[in-house]
Amino acid sequence: MLSRHTFGILATAMKINYYIYVCVALLFASCKNEPYEDIPSQEAGEFQNVLLDFNIPSNFPALTYDLEANPPTETGFELGRRLFYEGRLASDNVVACGFCHIQEFAFTHHTHIISHGVDGALGSRNAQPLHNLAFQNEFTWDGAAIHLDMQPIIPITNEVEMNETFTNVIAKLQAHPEYPRLFREAFENGEINSENILKALSQFMVMMVTSNSKYDKFRRNEGNVTLTENETQGMELFNQKCASCHSGELFTDQSYRNNGLAIDPQYNDIGRARVTGFPADNYKFKVPNLRNIEVTFPYMHDGRFATLDDVLEHYRSGITDFENLDDSLRQADGTLGIPMTDEEKVRIIDFLKTLTDADFIFDQRFSEF
Amino acid sequence: MKKITYIFTIVLSILTSSCNDDSNAVETSAVEITFDNRISANQDLNLGTTAFINQNNESIVTNELKYIISNIRFIQDNGTIFEYPKEESYFVINEADPSSLTLNLTGIPVGNYTQIGFGIGVDQSKYPLDGGVMNFIPKAEEAGMLWNWAAGYKFIKFEGTFTPQGGTESPFVIHVGSHGQTLDNYKFITLPLENTLNIATGNTATVNVQTLVQNIIDATNQIKLEDTSDIQVDPVNAPRVATNLESSFSAQ
C-alpha cells in the first residue's frame, strides 16, 4: 500500500520525469506482494495520476465539489466519459446517461417532454441540463441527491430510467475487455466497484463547466465583447424581474420554490416534499440555472413549455395560486405573476440567448466519440 | 543533481519503512458480534408469528426487520478507542437471513474493552463521503435498503401487521432514512458491555447485541400505528423512530 501511495504523491508533486520512474521501479521491486507485478504493464494498465487543470472562471462563485477528495485525472475523466456513454449501466444495455443527456442540448433530452428509460418506460420529469455541477450543492429537481457522487444512483437504479443494479453493472464491466484496464489506469486500487464508478462519473461531470457564453465574455471584458442594445435592455429587465431567484453567475440561487404551475393530475408531482416530507414543500422545485437555456427546451420540471416565450407568458399571466406560492410571484396589490409587456418579454429572451455557450456545447472532450 | 539526490533520499527512507509492517505491528485478534432481535429478554423474535403488545394496546407481528449497522468502534477500559476500518464497517442486519446476524470482525487490537459503539444507518452528512458509503451500495441494494428515487439509504425497514384492541388486522410500513440535507436520522450509539470483552490472540471473542423490537415504536416515543401506519419520509415520525432506535439495543 505504502509504495503505491508514495507513487501517487510523487507523481502529483512534480512532473513525471526519468528519476521518478527509477524511484518507482525501486519501490515496486521492494515489495514482493504487489499485485499485477508479473503482468506486462501495457496489458495490465497502471494508475496514471495526471491531474487535469480545473480553472474556476473569474466571474464564478467558489466551488462546491471537493476536488481534493476526488481529483479529476486524465484517465479518471476518460473512464468517466466512457461510463457516461455506456449502455451497460442500464438493464437493456442501451440507455446510457448520455441517452437522456445529449451534449448538443446542454445535456438535456431534446424535444422529450419527459425522459424515456429502458423498455420504453416513461419518467415523470424533464431531464435537467448537466453543466456547472461542481458549483451545485444539491441535485435533481427536488434535491434528492445531496452529493454529486451519489446522484447517479437514482438514474441507474430507477425502474423508469436505467433500471439496473450496481451488482450487475460491476459484473458487466468486469467482464468487458477494456474496463478492467481503464479502472486500473484511473484509480490507485484499480478496483471495479461502486465507489470508483461513481467517482469516475463525477470526474467527468465536474469538468463540464460552461463559462464562455457571450454574456461571460462581456462580464469578463474579454475581446471587446459587448451586448447589443436589445440584449442590454433585456439584462436590465432580467435583473429587475427574474434575478431574485435566477441569481448570480450560475443563474440560480439553488433554492426550491413553488412557481405557480398548475398541478398536472397525470403525475401530481409534489416536488421537494417527496424528499423532505414537509407539506410546506409541496410542488416546490429547484430554481433551474439558465445557462444554455436557448437549447435546453422544453422547460419546467415536466417539460410543459416548449418555448421561452411560453415560459415568460406563464410568469406574466399563467400563475396558479397556492398557499405556498413563491412571494416573488405575488404583487403588492395581490395580483399574481410578474408584469411585463410583449416587448419586454422579447428583450428578456434576447438576453437569455447570450447565455448560450457554443464552446461548451461542441466541446470535443465531452462528446461520445 | 541536488534534486535527484533529494528524491533518492526520500525514496530510500520510504523503502526502509515500507515493508516492515510485521515487525512492530500491534497484536490483534477477532471478534464475532451477533445481533439478536427479540420480543423480550425471554422471547425471541420469529417473523410472521411472535406478537407483542405496545403501550397503545396494539398487537404487533413483525414480517420484515432489517437495519444498517455502520462505523463500529470498540472502547477500552483505559478510554482507548479502536475504530474498525470505515471501508469495511457497513452491514445489513436482516432477521430473515441468519448469516447476516453475525459480523466477523478481524484485526482488533488485543485488550480489555468495556464499551462498543456503532451507527444505525449511514452517515451521509460527512463531506467528502468515505469509500465505505459508496461501496456499500450493492449490498444495500440487494437487501432493498436503497431508495431509487433518492440517492440514499433506508436505515431501517420494519414491516408487519398491527391489530388494535378489538379491531382488525392492518399492515404497517416503517422505512426511515435521512431526508436530503433537511433531516438527518443517522444515530450513533455507545453501549456499555455487561461483561468486559477480553480480546486476546489466538481466540475469537464474542459480543451479543440484543435488539428489542418493541422499542422501535415504543420507547422514548410511543407510536400508535392506528394513527400512523405508514412512516416513510415522514418528517414528524421518522425522527421519533430514529430516537427510539437509540434505546433499542443492549450489549453483552
Side-chain angles (χ1 to χ4, degrees):
Chain A
M1 275 306 286
L2 188 53
S3 61
R4 292 175 148 233
H5 184 57
T6 310
F7 174 62
I9 290 168
L10 285 174
T12 311
M14 53 201 81
K15 292 275 179 214
I16 295 176
N17 58 32
Y18 171 75
Y19 301 110
I20 293 181
Y21 279 120
V22 174
C23 297
V24 169
L26 269 174
L27 284 171
F28 272 84
S30 68
C31 291
K32 284 298 168 201
N33 58 355
E34 280 295 336
Y36 318 124
E37 64 169 357
D38 298 322
I39 305 168
S41 61
Q42 272 187 326
E43 266 178 58
E46 273 177 17
F47 176 50
Q48 294 167 25
N49 199 4
V50 183
L51 294 177
L52 295 176
D53 281 334
F54 188 99
N55 298 312
I56 300 176
S58 61
N59 55 324
F60 270 39
L63 271 178
T64 312
Y65 194 83
D66 183 352
L67 290 176
E68 281 183 27
N70 183 25
T73 62
E74 280 182 9
T75 44
F77 175 91
E78 172 58 15
L79 173 60
R81 190 187 66 80
R82 289 281 299 262
L83 292 172
F84 186 84
Y85 292 108
E86 178 55 79
R88 287 173 180 82
L89 266 55
S91 61
D92 65 356
N93 294 319
V94 173
V95 178
C97 307
F99 185 84
C100 288
H101 295 284
I102 302 166
Q103 183 178 9
E104 285 74 9
F105 308 100
F107 294 96
T108 55
H109 205 179
H110 183 46
T111 73
H112 284 79
I113 292 170
I114 45 169
S115 293
H116 297 212
V118 298
D119 306 323
L122 293 176
S124 58
R125 290 182 183 167
N126 180 238
Q128 290 181 287
L130 304 182
H131 50 216
N132 298 343
L133 296 168
F135 300 90
Q136 299 276 329
N137 53 26
E138 291 177 330
F139 303 87
T140 81
W141 281 107
D142 54 15
I146 62 174
H147 194 291
L148 182 61
D149 292 356
M150 300 283 276
Q151 196 284 335
I153 295 172
I154 303 172
I156 290 171
T157 62
N158 197 293
E159 62 270 14
V160 297
E161 296 185 64
M162 295 156 80
N163 189 37
E164 188 50 292
T165 66
F166 271 80
T167 307
N168 287 346
V169 170
I170 291 165
K172 283 191 263 183
L173 297 180
Q174 277 168 342
H176 190 273
E178 291 168 63
Y179 279 108
R181 175 178 58 79
L182 293 171
F183 275 82
R184 281 196 292 269
E185 287 172 353
F187 292 101
E188 218 170 342
N189 65 19
E191 286 172 23
I192 300 184
N193 59 26
S194 40
E195 180 187 10
N196 288 343
I197 290 169
L198 293 168
K199 282 190 162 171
L201 283 168
S202 282
Q203 288 187 29
F204 177 63
M205 291 191 287
V206 296
M207 296 305 291
M208 293 179 173
V209 176
T210 173
S211 63
N212 282 324
S213 65
K214 184 179 182 182
Y215 166 81
D216 290 296
K217 289 173 184 166
F218 160 75
R219 287 283 289 181
R220 297 192 298 254
N221 289 318
E222 280 174 17
N224 295 321
V225 172
T226 53
L227 300 187
T228 66
E229 200 175 313
N230 285 348
E231 289 162 352
T232 305
Q233 274 178 29
M235 182 169 69
E236 283 160 10
L237 290 164
F238 179 87
N239 286 334
Q240 290 163 27
K241 296 174 188 291
C242 316
S244 65
C245 301
H246 298 285
S247 62
E249 297 300 271
L250 300 177
F251 292 88
T252 170
D253 65 357
Q254 306 205 38
S255 65
Y256 303 87
R257 297 171 188 256
N258 182 336
N259 67 341
L261 293 170
I263 296 167
D264 181 343
Q266 189 185 347
Y267 303 116
N268 191 28
D269 190 337
I270 59 171
R272 178 67 175 156
R274 190 171 70 162
V275 173
T276 67
F278 292 116
D281 287 332
N282 274 340
Y283 309 113
K284 287 186 182 177
F285 293 90
K286 188 165 185 176
V287 174
N289 82 85
L290 302 182
R291 287 178 169 277
N292 299 308
I293 195 74
E294 183 183 3
V295 296
T296 64
F297 56 92
Y299 304 107
M300 302 294 164
H301 68 274
D302 53 8
R304 68 175 68 187
F305 298 133
T307 67
L308 287 171
D309 184 67
D310 293 344
V311 172
L312 291 179
E313 193 53 46
H314 163 74
Y315 284 117
R316 179 165 75 172
S317 65
I319 300 293
T320 298
D321 200 3
F322 290 84
E323 210 176 310
N324 67 351
L325 178 72
D326 198 69
D327 285 342
S328 61
L329 300 175
R330 204 185 295 280
Q331 303 305 310
D333 64 3
T335 55
L336 301 181
I338 302 171
M340 59 188 119
T341 65
D342 286 350
E343 198 196 332
E344 286 174 332
K345 279 203 306 186
V346 175
R347 291 294 87 80
I348 290 172
I349 293 169
D350 286 340
F351 169 66
L352 291 176
K353 288 181 177 174
T354 70
L355 301 176
T356 306
D357 176 1
D359 289 0
F360 174 74
I361 288 168
F362 299 107
D363 192 328
Q364 270 301 310
R365 291 178 300 159
F366 306 128
S367 69
E368 183 170 6
F369 303 107
Chain B
M1 263 325 270
K2 258 187 183 168
K3 193 175 166 194
I4 306 165
T5 320
Y6 177 65
I7 295 169
F8 269 95
T9 313
I10 291 177
V11 169
L12 281 175
S13 67
I14 290 162
L15 281 175
T16 53
S17 64
S18 62
C19 288
N20 57 356
D21 294 341
D22 301 336
S23 61
N24 57 358
V26 182
E27 278 190 77
T28 63
S29 194
V31 179
E32 199 180 271
I33 306 178
T34 302
F35 281 83
D36 185 9
N37 298 316
R38 304 192 71 81
I39 295 290
S40 68
N42 303 322
Q43 195 184 5
D44 195 18
L45 171 72
N46 285 311
L47 293 179
T49 52
T50 49
F52 65 86
I53 313 281
N54 67 8
Q55 292 186 53
N56 285 301
N57 273 322
E58 295 168 316
S59 173
I60 291 151
V61 174
T62 307
N63 293 331
E64 182 172 3
L65 178 63
K66 293 173 183 166
Y67 45 85
I68 293 172
I69 295 297
S70 63
N71 298 325
I72 298 171
R73 58 168 65 170
F74 298 90
I75 302 148
Q76 290 197 28
D77 47 6
N78 63 11
T80 310
I81 296 171
F82 172 72
E83 273 192 50
Y84 199 69
K86 273 192 180 340
E87 290 270 319
E88 291 140 45
S89 203
Y90 291 88
F91 303 92
V92 178
I93 306 296
N94 176 5
E95 177 64 14
D97 174 9
S99 71
S100 77
L101 301 176
T102 301
L103 316 181
N104 295 299
L105 309 184
T106 55
I108 322 290
V110 298
N112 291 318
Y113 293 85
T114 52
Q115 295 176 81
I116 176 177
F118 52 82
I120 307 156
V122 175
D123 188 358
Q124 300 163 125
S125 65
K126 291 222 173 65
Y127 187 88
L129 301 162
D130 67 75
V133 171
M134 294 202 276
N135 281 326
F136 184 51
I137 291 169
K139 210 195 277 181
E141 187 177 55
E142 279 163 34
M145 298 298 271
L146 199 66
W147 273 307
N148 69 359
W149 57 270
Y153 294 98
K154 297 171 200 171
F155 299 166
I156 181 167
K157 209 172 165 197
F158 178 33
E159 298 184 13
T161 60
F162 70 99
T163 312
Q165 204 171 32
T168 51
E169 186 183 274
S170 312
F172 74 89
V173 173
I174 296 175
H175 296 176
V176 173
S178 284
H179 303 186
Q181 293 185 104
T182 59
L183 194 55
D184 186 3
N185 287 315
Y186 170 77
K187 298 288 180 190
F188 187 87
I189 59 171
T190 305
L191 301 174
L193 291 163
E194 236 169 69
N195 308 306
T196 298
L197 173 70
N198 178 250
I199 297 183
T201 44
N203 65 348
T204 298
T206 58
V207 176
N208 184 38
V209 176
Q210 289 201 351
T211 313
L212 285 179
V213 180
Q214 177 167 350
N215 287 27
I216 299 168
I217 54 165
D218 218 6
T220 312
N221 303 301
Q222 281 128 42
I223 289 162
K224 190 175 183 183
L225 293 173
E226 198 177 1
D227 294 341
T228 175
S229 60
D230 187 343
I231 300 176
Q232 300 184 72
V233 197
D234 177 335
V236 176
N237 290 301
R240 296 175 79 212
V241 170
T243 301
N244 282 351
L245 288 172
E246 292 180 292
S247 56
S248 298
F249 298 86
S250 62
Q252 290 160 321

